[in-house]
């Protein structure tokens, strides 16, 4: 983190891509990662295979900084997997940059993971007791050790055995010298989609791609084919595409609803539904549930924009870009020595006075985490001349942390865990404050037979059993979430 204050948002998680059968596989993986940059900006990596050897390039930084033409030139082959990651900056983060690549008794394998295993440290302690030596503090490495230790004779069988032992959120892409694997956990917490680039030489010669979000397919000319199903392992090899389910018990899917609220790009289709459509429906529903007398609807950019469009359309109010975001604030920006009030927020957002002066404003945002940033934005809009500011949030109050691959503050730092809506309104200085109901959110994301969602950060009820990390290992050794 730079000298700037910590962003008052849940941190994005990770993004994964995989490419099978393309002469520029690593370049396609690079372009895919570029599209997934919003899912993690602190490190990235690509492993390629030329059919005999796996090669890796990975580093701290953003995708475009890490992968120069020279770096991509050193990643030849028809297969590639890639990963972009959010983590807290520091030496330990460099150690955990993915994909992980190992040479084990099952051959060379590379693995990239989006999600968080809730029983990784339990398994790790067991493996270490039997002599396993871990190279990283990442939960992902546990999967590699379980595969290596399996007595199953083939790699797919060894992988299924390993996958049945882990619990939590995992969308994985894995690669050997001639195969790519795409896997989702039985609850399907995180998204993972499959696409195809037709090569005109028969189905077995098409390029098959996988990505966390479908927006990655658009840039590389791939056509979305389908989502990997919860509990499914898809294998792409010389013989074509095959699929199997590795789980033993049936569990109810719990796809992360926050992907629709905030994480995923609006141009993606996630869990079979357009994110743009979900966000607009959230705004419309919010307007129905919590209308207010006002003159103008203003989004907190960028993530509040689509919900604000929905709110304005439903309420019959004008939509205005009354706050402008500066997209070019680097992580290493140096603060002035004489601190300016609310400097961090002012650096990222600036009010358009001509649109706000004398107006009763409905401000739309997608979440309040600690409340500190919302409070500053309120002050900024009032200072720009708004006569009233009514804050509307396009999801329910966030009362509990996430254990499934999203970096969230502890419960004590979540303002909605300790304060009522009225107390939060008072703290942030809004004229009124309302959140979208949980039922309204589920409706906006079209929950039904096809998709059931995890909503644990709004309810405090979790779909898996887990032991909080801090009870298992000393804080100094606690892993950074991917
Ligand atoms: Fe998503 Fe919240 Fe569930 Fe985490 S707890 S997976 S952020 S809905």
């Amino acid at each position: 983190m730079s000298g700037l204050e910590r962003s008052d948002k849940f941190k994005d998680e990770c993004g994964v891509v995989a490419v099978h059968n393309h002469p520029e596989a690593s370049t396609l993986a690079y372009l895919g990662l570029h599209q997934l940059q919003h899912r993690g900006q602190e490190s990235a990596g690509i492993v390629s295979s030329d059919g005999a050897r796996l090669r890796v390039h990975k580093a701290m930084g953003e995708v475009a900084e890490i992968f120069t033409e020279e770096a991509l030139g050193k990643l030849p082959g028809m297969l590639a997997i890639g990963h972009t990651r959010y983590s807290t900056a520091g030496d330990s983060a460099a150690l955990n940059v993915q994909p992980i690549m190992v040479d084990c008794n099952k051959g060379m394998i590379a693995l990239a993971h989006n999600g968080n295993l809730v029983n990784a440290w339990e398994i790790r302690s067991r493996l270490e007791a039997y002599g396993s030596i871990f190279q990283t503090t990442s939960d992902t490495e546990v999967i590699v050790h379980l595969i290596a230790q399996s007595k199953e004779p083939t790699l797919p069988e060894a992988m299924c055995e390993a996958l049945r032992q882990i619990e939590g959120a995992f969308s994985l892409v894995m690669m050997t010298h001639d195969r790519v694997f795409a896997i989702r956990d039985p609850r399907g917490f995180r998204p993972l989609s499959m696409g195809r680039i037709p090569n005109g030489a028969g189905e077995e010669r098409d390029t098959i791609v996988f990505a966390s979000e479908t927006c990655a397919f658009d840039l590389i000319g791939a056509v979305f084919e389908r989502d990997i199903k919860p509990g499914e392992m898809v294998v792409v090899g010389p013989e074509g595409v095959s699929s199997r389910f590795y789980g033993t018990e049936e569990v109810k899917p719990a796809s992360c609803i926050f992907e629709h609220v905030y994480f995923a790009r609006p141009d993606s289709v996630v869990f079979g539904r357009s994110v743009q459509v979900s966000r607009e429906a959230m705004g419309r529903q919010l307007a129905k549930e919590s209308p207010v007398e006002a003159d103008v609807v203003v989004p907190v950019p960028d993530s509040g924009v689509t919900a604000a469009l929905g709110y304005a359309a439903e309420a019959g109010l004008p939509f205005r870009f009354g706050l402008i975001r500066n997209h070019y604030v680097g992580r290493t920006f140096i603060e002035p020595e004489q601190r300016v009030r609310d400097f961090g927020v002012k650096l990222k957002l600036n009010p358009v006075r001509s649109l706000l002066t004398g107006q009763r404003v409905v401000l739309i945002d997608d979440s309040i985490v600690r409340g500190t940033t919302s409070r500053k934005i309120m002050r900024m809009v009032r200072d720009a001349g708004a006569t009233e500011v009514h804050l509307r949030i396009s999801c329910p109050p966030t009362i509990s942390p996430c254990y499934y691959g999203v970096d969230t503050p502890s419960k004590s730092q979540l303002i909605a865990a300790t304060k009522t809506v009225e107390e939060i309104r008072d703290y942030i200085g809004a004229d009124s404050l309302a959140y979208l109901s949980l039922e309204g959110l589920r409706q906006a994301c079209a929950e039904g037979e096809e998709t059931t969602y995890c909503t644990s950060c709004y309810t405090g009820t979790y779909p898996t059993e887990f032991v909080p990390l801090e009870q298992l290992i000393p804080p100094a050794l606690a892993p950074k979430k991917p």
Side-chain angles (χ1 to χ4, degrees):
M1 208 179 311
S2 74
L4 292 177
E5 68 188 61
R6 189 185 169 92
S7 163
D8 192 23
K9 292 279 180 199
F10 278 13
K11 287 283 183 188
D12 292 352
E13 339 137 55
C14 302
V16 296
V17 293
V19 180
H20 185 276
N21 192 37
H22 195 282
E24 291 184 88
S26 58
T27 301
L28 258 54
Y30 158 73
L31 294 171
L33 289 181
H34 201 268
Q35 292 292 88
L36 300 178
Q37 185 73 86
H38 61 287
R39 296 183 74 87
Q41 299 92 44
E42 295 207 354
S43 67
I46 293 175
V47 177
S48 76
S49 168
D50 60 6
R53 204 179 134 194
L54 269 54
R55 294 177 177 84
V56 61
H57 181 72
K58 55 186 186 177
M60 300 298 291
E62 294 186 5
V63 175
E65 298 159 11
I66 296 168
F67 295 103
T68 58
E69 221 174 313
E70 193 191 347
L72 286 171
K74 291 177 183 167
L75 295 169
M78 300 286 282
L79 278 63
I81 64 168
H83 189 263
T84 183
R85 179 172 191 266
Y86 164 74
S87 70
T88 306
D91 287 346
S92 61
L95 190 72
N96 291 330
V97 178
Q98 295 193 22
I100 292 178
M101 190 169 86
V102 291
D103 195 359
C104 68
N105 55 0
K106 308 286 186 304
M108 284 206 87
I109 54 177
L111 181 68
H113 174 200
N114 173 203
N116 194 55
L117 306 182
V118 292
N119 65 345
W121 303 95
E122 210 178 303
I123 296 174
R124 182 177 172 136
S125 308
R126 174 162 55 82
L127 292 172
E128 282 178 335
Y130 286 98
S132 291
I133 296 169
F134 281 75
Q135 308 290 325
T136 73
T137 54
S138 149
D139 56 343
T140 310
E141 199 185 347
V142 164
I143 305 170
V144 177
H145 281 264
L146 288 173
I147 293 171
Q149 293 211 345
S150 171
K151 299 269 187 302
E152 294 288 349
T154 66
L155 181 62
E157 292 302 331
M159 283 171 64
C160 289
E161 191 184 74
L163 295 169
R164 284 193 288 268
Q165 293 177 66
I166 56 177
E167 175 80 290
F170 51 93
S171 279
L172 302 170
V173 291
M174 206 182 107
M175 190 176 71
T176 62
H177 70 283
D178 67 347
R179 278 179 173 69
V180 163
F181 301 75
I183 298 149
R184 270 175 91 202
D185 66 74
R187 290 178 181 79
F189 281 105
R190 311 255 74 90
L192 187 60
S193 301
M194 175 175 159
R196 185 182 292 266
I197 305 173
N199 291 330
E203 210 168 79
E204 75 281 2
R205 302 297 304 279
D206 287 349
T207 300
I208 301 294
V209 294
F210 300 95
S212 296
E213 288 182 38
T214 58
C215 65
F217 298 158
D218 301 336
L219 185 62
I220 60 176
V223 180
F224 168 74
E225 193 153 305
R226 68 178 182 88
D227 283 343
I228 310 307
K229 297 190 180 84
E232 185 184 17
M233 176 165 77
V234 174
V235 187
V236 193
E239 62 288 334
V241 181
S242 64
S243 156
R244 64 189 291 180
F245 289 83
Y246 58 84
T248 46
E249 53 164 331
E250 283 256 320
V251 290
K252 192 175 168 193
S255 300
C256 172
I257 206 162
F258 212 63
E259 293 276 355
H260 277 284
V261 174
Y262 172 70
F263 292 134
R265 272 178 38 164
D267 50 340
S268 287
V269 174
V270 166
F271 313 131
R273 181 161 171 87
S274 156
V275 175
Q276 175 87 9
V277 169
S278 289
R279 285 195 192 149
E280 198 169 327
M282 287 170 211
R284 283 185 177 276
Q285 182 65 23
L286 192 52
K288 283 182 204 156
E289 291 180 7
S290 302
V292 61
E293 286 281 317
D295 302 308
V296 65
V297 176
V298 170
V300 176
D302 292 319
S303 48
V305 170
T306 313
L309 281 167
Y311 191 102
E314 185 66 35
L317 290 171
F319 168 96
R320 294 284 182 270
F321 278 110
L323 290 168
I324 302 299
R325 177 172 291 274
N326 180 353
H327 289 102
Y328 305 101
V329 184
R331 289 188 308 274
T332 52
F333 198 92
I334 300 159
E335 284 191 47
E337 278 183 25
Q338 282 289 321
R339 287 209 61 166
V340 180
R341 192 173 85 154
D342 301 343
F343 182 79
V345 168
K346 284 181 179 162
L347 197 62
K348 290 179 192 158
L349 290 177
N350 203 29
V352 183
R353 285 172 194 279
S354 59
L355 296 178
L356 299 173
T357 302
Q359 300 291 294
R360 294 170 300 168
V361 175
V362 188
L363 202 61
I364 309 287
D365 204 353
D366 51 40
S367 54
I368 303 176
V369 179
R370 294 177 181 80
T372 45
T373 301
S374 303
R375 184 182 166 136
K376 289 170 186 173
I377 294 171
M378 286 294 134
R379 199 149 56 198
M380 177 183 278
V381 174
R382 279 197 203 284
D383 288 350
T387 53
E388 293 174 22
V389 192
H390 303 274
L391 184 60
R392 296 290 178 270
I393 304 296
S394 60
C395 66
T398 309
I399 58 163
S400 233
C402 176
Y403 294 91
Y404 307 120
V406 177
D407 188 49
T408 51
S410 63
K411 196 170 173 97
S412 61
Q413 290 180 295
L414 293 169
I415 191 167
T418 53
K419 289 190 193 306
T420 64
V421 173
E422 174 53 24
E423 285 168 343
I424 299 169
R425 184 208 61 74
D426 186 50
Y427 171 76
I428 63 177
D431 290 289
S432 75
L433 167 66
Y435 292 82
L436 182 60
S437 68
L438 185 57
E439 195 40 48
L441 177 62
R442 288 186 197 278
Q443 268 177 33
C445 297
E447 183 163 65
E449 284 196 3
E450 296 286 304
T451 314
T452 47
Y453 289 106
C454 172
T455 55
S456 301
C457 45
Y458 308 123
T459 61
T461 305
Y462 294 88
T464 63
E465 285 184 18
F466 62 89
V467 181
L469 294 180
E470 45 290 359
Q471 287 180 22
L472 280 173
I473 46 172
L477 295 177
K480 308 288 185 267
K481 286 178 187 170

